[in-house]
Amino acid sequence: MAILFDRRPTLASWPKRVYAWPELPEPFRPALAAWRSQGLPPGNVTYIPRINQYGGSPEFATAWLGDEVLLQTAQGGSVQCLAFRGADVAVMDYYVQLLRCTVTVTLSEARSGLQSSFSYNKTKEDQLFPVLNLAMGNTSDSVPRAGHPDTPALQQLLQDSYAMYNLSKLCYRFGPEIQEFLFWVGRNRGLARLNQPKPEYFVARMERGIACVQKDFYGTRLVCVRWEYLRNFQVVQERGRPILCLESTAGPAARFPLLPEQQAAAAAFLAALPADTRRDGTSKSRI
C-alpha cells in the first residue's frame, strides 16, 4: 500500500483561534451548544488539528467561558470532553520538547481523578494562554511575572545554572512569588547518555502549592500540585536510590531522583513546608 504523505504547510497543524463558528469542525460543536446559548464568543475557542492529516493522532478543541474550561479530544470517530474549573485541578503537568507542548490536567479525587491531555505547537501558545491560566487557578487574562526578584538565593541559582534560573520562571504561572526553593543537578545513567547534559531539578514552595521544574536532554517539564490536593511529598528509597516523590490525592504527580549527598537538603526543604494550606492561603497545622 502506498504511503500517504502529509503535504500540508507546516502551520496547518498549528493551533487556530476560531473567528466564526463554521471554522470549527462539526464534531466539536455539540459540546459547546450550552455555552453558545450563554454567549460564548468563537474567539474563546481554539482548534488544534492533528499533526499528520493521514495519521491516527488526535485533534483537540479548547474553550473557556468565565472561570470554566472545556477540553475536547477527537480520535477514532469519538469525542471525549472534560469540563473543569481551576479549583478542580489537582495536578497540572506542562511538558515542552522542542516546539511541541503537551499539557495534562488531572482533576481532584472529588472529580474521580479524571484526566485529559492536549498537545500543540508552542509557536502559537498565546492562543492557549486563557486556558492555561484558568487551569492554574489564575484569571483568564493573567500575565505571569516575567523576572525573578534580586534575592541572594536566586542570584546564587543564576551562578549555579543560568538555564534553570530562567526556566524556573515557569513557576510564576502558579503564583506571583517563590517562597522557598530547592535546586539540584542529577546524574546521567547509562553509556548512551554520558555525553548528554546532566538533568536539573527545581522545586518551589508557592502560596498556592508546589511547583516543580525538570530540565533534561529531552525537554522541560513543569508540574504543579495545589496544597489542598497534596497527599504525600517525601523521599523514598527504591533499589537503594533516593527518590523525591510528589503525590496528589488523585494519584502520583512526579518523581525526581536524588543523589545520596542531596538527601539532607531535600529533607530540610520538606521539613520547612507548611503543614497545611487552606484555599484562602492561610496555614494550619496537620500535626
Short mmCIF file of all heavy atoms in Angstrom, two decimals, residues 21-34 36 72:
data_model
loop_
_atom_site.label_atom_id
_atom_site.label_comp_id
_atom_site.label_asym_id
_atom_site.label_seq_id
_atom_site.Cartn_x
_atom_site.Cartn_y
_atom_site.Cartn_z
N TRP A 21 -18.05 30.48 13.78
CA TRP A 21 -18.40 29.10 14.14
C TRP A 21 -18.23 28.09 13.02
O TRP A 21 -17.84 26.95 13.30
CB TRP A 21 -19.81 29.05 14.71
CG TRP A 21 -19.90 29.71 16.06
CD1 TRP A 21 -20.57 30.85 16.39
CD2 TRP A 21 -19.23 29.29 17.25
NE1 TRP A 21 -20.38 31.17 17.71
CE2 TRP A 21 -19.57 30.22 18.27
CE3 TRP A 21 -18.40 28.22 17.57
CZ2 TRP A 21 -19.09 30.11 19.57
CZ3 TRP A 21 -17.93 28.10 18.87
CH2 TRP A 21 -18.27 29.04 19.86
N PRO A 22 -18.46 28.43 11.75
CA PRO A 22 -18.22 27.43 10.70
C PRO A 22 -16.77 26.97 10.60
O PRO A 22 -16.51 25.92 10.00
CB PRO A 22 -18.66 28.17 9.42
CG PRO A 22 -19.67 29.17 9.89
CD PRO A 22 -19.15 29.62 11.22
N GLU A 23 -15.82 27.72 11.20
CA GLU A 23 -14.41 27.32 11.15
C GLU A 23 -14.11 26.15 12.08
O GLU A 23 -13.10 25.46 11.92
CB GLU A 23 -13.52 28.51 11.54
CG GLU A 23 -13.63 29.70 10.59
CD GLU A 23 -12.83 30.89 11.09
OE1 GLU A 23 -12.10 30.74 12.10
OE2 GLU A 23 -12.93 31.98 10.48
N LEU A 24 -14.99 25.91 13.06
CA LEU A 24 -14.78 24.81 14.00
C LEU A 24 -15.36 23.53 13.41
O LEU A 24 -16.54 23.50 13.05
CB LEU A 24 -15.46 25.13 15.33
CG LEU A 24 -15.29 24.08 16.44
CD1 LEU A 24 -13.84 24.00 16.89
CD2 LEU A 24 -16.20 24.42 17.63
N PRO A 25 -14.58 22.46 13.30
CA PRO A 25 -15.10 21.20 12.77
C PRO A 25 -16.36 20.75 13.51
O PRO A 25 -16.46 20.89 14.74
CB PRO A 25 -13.94 20.23 12.97
CG PRO A 25 -12.72 21.09 12.92
CD PRO A 25 -13.13 22.37 13.60
N GLU A 26 -17.27 20.19 12.78
CA GLU A 26 -18.59 19.83 13.32
C GLU A 26 -18.55 18.94 14.56
O GLU A 26 -19.36 19.12 15.49
CB GLU A 26 -19.42 19.18 12.22
CG GLU A 26 -20.91 19.08 12.53
CD GLU A 26 -21.23 17.92 13.47
OE1 GLU A 26 -20.47 16.93 13.45
OE2 GLU A 26 -22.21 18.03 14.25
N PRO A 27 -17.63 17.94 14.65
CA PRO A 27 -17.64 17.07 15.83
C PRO A 27 -17.46 17.80 17.15
O PRO A 27 -17.88 17.29 18.21
CB PRO A 27 -16.46 16.12 15.57
CG PRO A 27 -16.33 16.07 14.09
CD PRO A 27 -16.65 17.47 13.64
N PHE A 28 -16.85 18.99 17.13
CA PHE A 28 -16.61 19.73 18.37
C PHE A 28 -17.77 20.67 18.73
O PHE A 28 -17.75 21.26 19.81
CB PHE A 28 -15.33 20.55 18.25
CG PHE A 28 -14.08 19.73 18.12
CD1 PHE A 28 -13.34 19.75 16.94
CD2 PHE A 28 -13.63 18.93 19.15
CE1 PHE A 28 -12.18 18.99 16.81
CE2 PHE A 28 -12.47 18.17 19.04
CZ PHE A 28 -11.74 18.20 17.87
N ARG A 29 -18.73 20.83 17.87
CA ARG A 29 -19.78 21.83 18.09
C ARG A 29 -20.83 21.42 19.12
O ARG A 29 -21.25 22.27 19.93
CB ARG A 29 -20.46 22.18 16.77
CG ARG A 29 -19.52 22.81 15.75
CD ARG A 29 -20.23 23.09 14.45
NE ARG A 29 -19.28 23.37 13.36
CZ ARG A 29 -19.63 23.53 12.10
NH1 ARG A 29 -20.92 23.46 11.75
NH2 ARG A 29 -18.71 23.76 11.18
N PRO A 30 -21.31 20.16 19.15
CA PRO A 30 -22.39 19.82 20.10
C PRO A 30 -22.06 20.13 21.55
O PRO A 30 -22.92 20.63 22.29
CB PRO A 30 -22.58 18.32 19.88
CG PRO A 30 -22.15 18.09 18.47
CD PRO A 30 -21.00 19.03 18.26
N ALA A 31 -20.83 19.87 22.00
CA ALA A 31 -20.47 20.08 23.41
C ALA A 31 -20.47 21.55 23.79
O ALA A 31 -20.51 21.88 24.97
CB ALA A 31 -19.11 19.46 23.70
N LEU A 32 -20.41 22.43 22.79
CA LEU A 32 -20.37 23.86 23.05
C LEU A 32 -21.74 24.53 22.94
O LEU A 32 -21.85 25.74 23.13
CB LEU A 32 -19.39 24.55 22.08
CG LEU A 32 -17.91 24.19 22.28
CD1 LEU A 32 -17.07 24.79 21.15
CD2 LEU A 32 -17.40 24.68 23.62
N ALA A 33 -22.76 23.75 22.65
CA ALA A 33 -24.09 24.32 22.42
C ALA A 33 -24.59 25.10 23.64
O ALA A 33 -25.11 26.22 23.51
CB ALA A 33 -25.08 23.22 22.04
N ALA A 34 -24.44 24.53 24.84
CA ALA A 34 -24.93 25.21 26.05
C ALA A 34 -24.17 26.51 26.29
O ALA A 34 -24.77 27.53 26.64
CB ALA A 34 -24.79 24.28 27.26
N ARG A 36 -22.66 28.31 24.03
CA ARG A 36 -23.02 29.27 22.98
C ARG A 36 -24.33 29.98 23.33
O ARG A 36 -24.50 31.18 23.06
CB ARG A 36 -23.13 28.57 21.63
CG ARG A 36 -21.79 28.14 21.06
CD ARG A 36 -21.95 27.49 19.69
NE ARG A 36 -22.46 28.43 18.71
CZ ARG A 36 -22.68 28.13 17.43
NH1 ARG A 36 -22.42 26.89 16.99
NH2 ARG A 36 -23.14 29.03 16.59
N GLN A 72 -11.72 19.19 24.58
CA GLN A 72 -12.30 18.14 23.76
C GLN A 72 -11.19 17.43 22.97
O GLN A 72 -10.32 18.09 22.40
CB GLN A 72 -13.33 18.70 22.78
CG GLN A 72 -14.52 19.35 23.44
CD GLN A 72 -15.61 19.68 22.43
OE1 GLN A 72 -16.26 18.81 21.88
NE2 GLN A 72 -15.81 20.97 22.19
#
